[in-house]
Amino acid sequence: MVANVGDRIVLESEKVGTAERRGEILEVIAHETRTEYVVRWDDGRETSIRPHAGIVRIEASSAKSKR
């Protein structure tokens, strides 16, 4: 999974009946074994996450998709 600043991130819920979370990637921090993202969620909060495979979907920013 490759993500860039400005891309949208969708975090699937691990609990049944809980909605997914959507946000914009503000920063990408590469570590040896994982990548960390600073995200501004659609509700306005900002958090740092290190998601694991299968729960995240990256949607390229509209600026990149128009190129």
Side-chain angles (χ1 to χ4, degrees):
M1 159 180 42
V2 177
N4 298 293
V5 172
D7 288 347
R8 299 281 298 163
I9 188 167
V10 181
L11 183 64
E12 302 291 338
S13 173
E14 293 184 312
K15 290 185 177 182
V16 175
T18 303
E20 65 189 15
R21 294 179 71 191
R22 293 176 167 272
E24 178 184 358
I25 297 173
L26 302 177
E27 186 176 358
V28 178
I29 305 163
H31 296 282
E32 279 187 38
T33 58
R34 280 191 154 169
T35 301
E36 182 176 350
Y37 302 104
V38 177
V39 178
R40 180 183 304 119
W41 300 104
D42 289 348
D43 65 6
R45 292 184 292 158
E46 291 183 16
T47 60
S48 175
I49 62 168
R50 295 175 90 179
H52 54 81
I55 66 163
V56 169
R57 186 172 71 244
I58 302 297
E59 298 172 346
S61 70
S62 58
K64 280 186 246 164
S65 60
K66 290 181 182 177
R67 289 184 195 171

